[in-house]
Amino acid sequence: MAFVSPVSGVGLINPEQHGLHPKGYSSSFHFSCIKFGDSKRHTKNSRCSMVVRSSDANPDIDFSDPDWKQQYQEEFEKRFSLPHLNDLFDINPIQTTFALKCRGSDETEPGERKNGYVNDDDRTLLKVIKFASPNSAGAECIDPDCSWVEQWIHRAGPRKKIYYEPGAVKAGIVTCGGLCPGLNDVIRQIVFTLDIYGVKNIVGIPFGYRGFFDKSLSEIPLSRQVVQNINLAGGSLLGVSRGSASTGEIVDSIQARRIDMLFILGGNGTHAGAHAIHEECRKRKLKVSVVCVPKTIDNDILLMDKTFGFDTAVEEAQRAINSAYIEAHSAYHGIGLVKLMGRSSGFIAMHASLSSGQIDVCLIPEVPFNLEGPYGVLKHLEQLIQTKGSAVVCVAEGAGQNLLETSNATDASGNIVLGDIGVHIQQKIKTHFKGIGVHADVKYIDPTYMIRAIRANASDAILCTVLGQNAVHGAFAGFSGITVGLCNTHYVYLPIPEVITSPRCVNPNSRMWHRCLTSTGQPDFL
């Protein structure tokens, strides 16, 4: 009898780690720890690792049961069902005020799909690839035989029926965490879409969750005129912040402000906080829709193809890499070193290395490496200097933390303050080449804040536009406690707990990482 946990992942996010302290918070989704075998490992500040997790139900699957696949699919459907206002209230929906232009008669012919609107029963597949075996690169299988298992999730978009009277709605928008290209684009599209529905009372909550409880901060009235051109600049019109906040205080503020829809832009920690806010609103039986838009430049939100800001970050990183390349190739025995963002996920470093074609060594958090020794990074740099005369290294900020002194210091969001791997490698390179009597000219570039603050590029601007629109559609459809994202090339709604169980990480056995290794030509540094 074989047993396996059905979904791959890592540890759970603790909301207190990200500045939220729920009062009386209760849910079948637990933030504090996750069971690994017969023991519990606390996952505050946890990083990516290849382990398995389960959801609320029995974590084991008995593959000797002929009905295991049906049972799994039913459990999957239950987990990915979306919380709705009708779970608590008996609300009669009304005809949507979001008018879509259509040709011909309003009558729908038998068998015809009306264009524009999404049916509540519309689904898209979470995964479409069936792997031949678990040994196939990038395979993520439910069972040892990699059987085809249908995993359907809810499609995003405007519905024909809505659960709010637009003229009576007060909508709030808040941007949390750090800066990310595209924040203003999302804010703009949320306001535009609300305006088309007929919502006139729209406010921005300044400086993240702080704006809910800091009495010195006032709401920012928003309208189409106010946000018309904010997408032309980077940053956030509403400001951002990190730090502690009480879920109870936030919901008190939501209740006092009479907010009906709250749109929250942020990453994993912000989503954990949003879920706590959603649960507290349900506990108090408040008719409030809490809808998230995933914002992380690191592209580390589970289940999603990509998050907004990522494409812009990769594109802007090319400037830093190209500068390092020019510096390295213009110097005698030049070595260019670039540190890019990525606390626990190396997507920016990997994609930037692939797209530039100028990187000789790419180091990411998910793949361990040694600097010293016969197979270490420094020895490989020696060979590159001998054969090419120069080298360019790209390292993610979270890579190689085991090589640095550990610290218990945390930032305002509760994240462990990382050691500076870029400076560490820079000094190690200088010391190593000096020790072997070989000249090396090391140029170190850290473009972190320059990348975060710029305007979204065309690809991200389109993604932000659609995410912002679909966030509003989701709220009017009566959903709450959800996030909107691009999954398997389709825009979908997902329950927040399913995307915050861990950061999404680069799979070292994935096709993309293998492509990166082929591009750089680097060996295993172990």
Side-chain angles (χ1 to χ4, degrees):
M1 184 179 296
F3 293 94
V4 67
S5 182
V7 182
S8 62
V10 198
L12 300 184
I13 298 296
N14 185 337
E16 296 185 4
Q17 169 188 344
H18 301 275
L20 284 150
H21 307 277
K23 293 181 179 178
Y25 175 71
S26 175
S27 171
S28 58
F29 180 77
H30 300 287
F31 292 94
S32 58
C33 60
I34 184 170
K35 191 169 184 180
F36 292 79
D38 295 325
S39 64
K40 286 188 175 182
R41 178 184 303 172
H42 291 277
T43 58
K44 184 174 180 180
N45 301 310
S46 64
R47 299 175 60 198
C48 296
S49 58
M50 301 307 290
V51 297
V52 292
R53 76 160 181 93
S54 65
S55 187
D56 304 322
N58 186 343
D60 297 327
I61 300 177
D62 180 2
F63 294 119
S64 65
D65 184 345
D67 296 325
W68 75 263
K69 187 180 296 186
Q70 179 181 348
Q71 292 173 5
Y72 174 82
Q73 290 176 169
E74 290 174 354
E75 174 61 21
F76 183 91
E77 183 177 356
K78 179 181 177 182
R79 283 172 41 215
F80 282 82
S81 63
L82 304 178
H84 196 277
L85 293 177
N86 272 346
D87 297 339
L88 296 177
F89 309 100
D90 186 14
I91 305 174
N92 292 321
I94 62 175
Q95 189 69 28
T96 184
T97 54
F98 185 80
L100 291 169
K101 293 182 180 179
C102 54
R103 298 182 179 88
S105 170
D106 288 337
E107 297 297 325
T108 303
E109 297 295 329
E112 179 188 351
R113 299 282 297 189
K114 194 68 174 177
N115 63 352
Y117 296 110
V118 173
N119 190 288
D120 281 339
D121 291 330
D122 283 355
R123 299 288 189 275
T124 184
L125 278 172
L126 181 64
K127 299 176 184 177
V128 295
I129 298 176
K130 181 185 182 302
F131 297 96
S133 77
N135 297 322
S136 177
E140 297 177 5
C141 302
I142 304 302
D143 67 310
D145 296 327
C146 275
S147 301
W148 172 249
V149 179
E150 295 181 7
Q151 298 173 315
W152 295 100
I153 51 180
H154 292 255
R155 186 175 166 215
R159 269 63 173 171
K160 287 185 178 181
K161 298 292 184 179
I162 58 177
Y163 288 80
Y164 287 93
E165 178 60 53
V169 165
K170 180 178 181 180
I173 308 172
V174 60
T175 55
C176 304
L179 288 180
C180 177
L183 283 169
N184 281 334
D185 299 72
V186 178
I187 295 169
R188 180 174 182 264
Q189 284 302 318
I190 289 175
V191 173
F192 278 13
T193 311
L194 286 168
D195 180 73
I196 292 175
Y197 270 98
V199 178
K200 299 304 178 185
N201 192 359
I202 311 170
V203 297
I205 308 299
F207 300 107
Y209 287 132
R210 176 183 294 275
F212 284 107
F213 62 86
D214 190 330
K215 299 187 184 305
S216 67
L217 300 174
S218 302
E219 294 177 349
I220 302 172
L222 300 176
S223 65
R224 178 177 284 269
Q225 290 71 31
V226 171
V227 304
Q228 182 67 49
N229 296 315
I230 63 172
N231 61 309
L232 302 180
S236 168
L237 171 70
L238 306 179
V240 295
S241 73
R242 304 179 188 273
S244 299
S246 162
T247 301
E249 285 183 305
I250 291 176
V251 177
D252 287 343
S253 179
I254 291 172
Q255 199 167 0
R257 297 169 192 260
R258 298 183 181 276
I259 290 176
D260 304 291
M261 297 178 179
L262 181 61
F263 300 97
I264 303 176
L265 284 59
N268 270 319
T270 300
H271 274 62
H275 182 68
I277 293 169
H278 159 74
E279 288 289 316
E280 182 65 18
C281 287
R282 290 171 74 90
K283 179 181 175 182
R284 300 188 189 186
K285 290 185 167 47
L286 301 178
K287 186 188 174 185
V288 178
S289 284
V290 179
V291 179
C292 286
V293 180
K295 175 231 70 176
T296 166
I297 205 167
D298 291 345
N299 197 35
D300 62 352
I301 301 290
L302 279 180
L303 307 180
M304 298 187 183
D305 294 353
K306 65 178 177 179
T307 52
F308 76 83
F310 174 69
D311 277 354
T312 305
V314 171
E315 183 175 309
E316 188 65 16
Q318 305 304 300
R319 300 177 187 272
I321 290 174
N322 189 55
S323 296
Y325 175 83
I326 292 172
E327 287 284 355
H329 280 253
S330 300
Y332 176 66
H333 287 182
I335 297 176
L337 174 62
V338 179
K339 185 182 77 171
L340 298 176
M341 288 158 293
R343 286 186 60 88
S344 55
S345 303
F347 287 102
I348 294 179
M350 178 177 68
H351 283 254
S353 297
L354 265 171
S355 56
S356 72
Q358 298 170 318
I359 296 296
D360 299 295
V361 176
C362 177
L363 305 174
I364 61 175
E366 297 88 342
V367 180
F369 61 90
N370 291 324
L371 290 176
E372 314 282 355
Y375 305 106
V377 173
L378 298 175
K379 190 67 176 179
H380 184 60
L381 289 177
E382 274 188 52
Q383 297 170 356
L384 290 171
I385 291 298
Q386 292 172 2
T387 57
K388 294 177 59 179
S390 62
V392 183
V393 180
C394 177
V395 57
E397 62 180 322
Q401 291 298 303
N402 60 303
L403 305 176
L404 307 174
E405 291 185 9
T406 58
S407 169
N408 293 324
T410 57
D411 61 19
S413 295
N415 299 309
I416 289 179
V417 176
L418 299 178
D420 195 329
I421 187 64
V423 171
H424 179 75
I425 292 178
Q426 177 192 27
Q427 295 304 319
K428 284 290 186 179
I429 293 173
K430 289 181 177 180
T431 302
H432 176 78
F433 279 91
K434 183 177 180 180
I436 62 174
V438 176
H439 175 79
D441 191 348
V442 185
K443 298 295 193 300
Y444 175 49
I445 299 175
D446 180 355
T448 300
Y449 291 101
M450 294 176 63
I451 290 176
R452 286 174 19 147
I454 66 173
R455 174 187 174 186
N457 67 6
S459 174
D460 270 330
I462 293 171
L463 178 60
C464 291
T465 295
V466 183
L467 291 176
Q469 292 175 0
N470 280 327
V472 177
H473 296 321
F476 268 104
F479 300 124
S480 180
I482 66 167
T483 190
V484 58
L486 182 65
C487 181
N488 190 15
T489 73
H490 293 279
Y491 291 92
V492 300
Y493 297 132
L494 298 166
I496 292 175
E498 292 299 328
V499 302
I500 61 173
T501 55
S502 70
R504 174 175 175 241
C505 300
V506 174
N507 181 353
N509 192 42
S510 66
R511 297 290 301 279
M512 193 59 74
W513 179 243
H514 290 172
R515 291 164 182 149
C516 186
L517 295 179
T518 301
S519 176
T520 62
Q522 70 190 63
D524 293 332
F525 296 117
L526 293 173

